[in-house]
Amino acid sequence: MTFRLDTLARNALRPDEVVLVDWHVTGLCCADSGEFSVRALRRTRLPARARPLDATPSGAVYAHPTAAAHLAGRDVAVSCRRVGPIRWFTTDLPPDAGLRACMGRLPPA
């Protein structure tokens, strides 16, 4: 699994921040149905369950274990959009990637 931070994302991160690919449960019947979110988080505030996803010295991308399992073997680009001081981290995954991953229908990597 490869997560690439483009220039916008790299520049938007503060020195003490990393990108967290989180997993939000949306189904009542099983914890596997959910959606991804991508956000910046201070390294000191990382959840204990977060796993590093890249081998770069900065270790700038971490993920929830369920998100990591669904994204295994994929090449994902992370970017950032800004409106004033507000930052939105985005990926090149489809908007419904979590639902597709749960159903085994995420497009091939």
Side-chain angles (χ1 to χ4, degrees):
M1 164 179 7
T2 305
F3 271 76
R4 294 175 286 113
L5 297 177
D6 70 5
T7 306
L8 295 171
R10 228 176 280 118
N11 291 340
L13 281 177
R14 296 177 185 117
D16 63 336
E17 287 183 329
V18 294
V19 172
L20 176 66
V21 180
D22 213 347
W23 181 257
H24 304 279
V25 176
T26 58
L28 297 175
C29 63
C30 65
D32 190 45
S33 72
E35 282 297 330
F36 302 105
S37 71
V38 183
R39 61 189 166 120
L41 192 65
R42 273 191 251 137
R43 192 177 295 272
T44 57
R45 304 275 316 210
L46 273 172
R49 68 185 185 273
R51 298 179 181 171
L53 292 183
D54 62 1
T56 61
S58 65
V61 182
Y62 287 78
H64 183 280
T66 305
H70 283 306
L71 296 173
R74 304 190 87 53
D75 184 28
V76 180
V78 178
S79 188
C80 182
R81 296 179 185 177
R82 262 185 191 251
V83 176
I86 301 171
R87 304 172 294 168
W88 283 280
F89 286 85
T90 60
T91 66
D92 60 352
L93 292 168
D96 60 347
L99 178 61
R100 289 182 186 203
C102 297
M103 299 179 78
R105 298 187 180 266
L106 196 57

